[in-house]
Amino acid sequence: NRMCMGSNLGPTIATFSMHMVEQHTASMQIKLLFYKRYVDTIFTVFRTISEAEQFLTSMNKINYNCQFTIEHY
């Protein structure tokens, strides 16, 4: 099922979905140096770019309807 943008349930569904994602990240072998989330945005710091790419790949395997992107700084 899909939901319209601006729906009152949007933030609740985003929070619920991201909680499920966070449960998945707890079981990952990659060490996160820093992790912070605001609604549906995640900011993480890794030791190497390779770890960041592994994390992204793993996150994008959780649900094909919820795909993440990455920005390197």
Side-chain angles (χ1 to χ4, degrees), residues 14-58:
T15 300
F16 177 74
S17 299
M18 292 307 295
H19 177 72
M20 291 191 318
V21 167
E22 287 174 337
Q23 294 300 312
H24 175 76
T25 61
S27 66
M28 293 174 64
Q29 299 293 333
I30 300 169
K31 172 87 169 136
L32 305 174
L33 297 178
F34 181 82
Y35 178 94
K36 193 69 174 173
R37 177 177 64 88
Y38 179 75
V39 188
D40 62 350
T41 301
I42 300 173
F43 177 76
T44 56
V45 177
F46 300 91
R47 292 183 201 277
T48 66
I49 291 175
S50 175
E51 287 181 348
E53 296 292 341
Q54 286 177 315
F55 182 78
L56 177 67
T57 300
S58 179

Side-chain angles (χ1 to χ4, degrees), residues 3-11:
M3 187 180 323
C4 298
M5 291 289 291
S7 169
N8 291 342
L9 288 176

Side-chain angles (χ1 to χ4, degrees), residues 17 20-21 58-68:
S17 299
M20 291 191 318
V21 167
S58 179
M59 297 287 280
N60 284 336
K61 288 180 181 177
I62 296 171
N63 184 327
Y64 72 93
N65 288 316
C66 181
Q67 295 295 294
F68 294 88

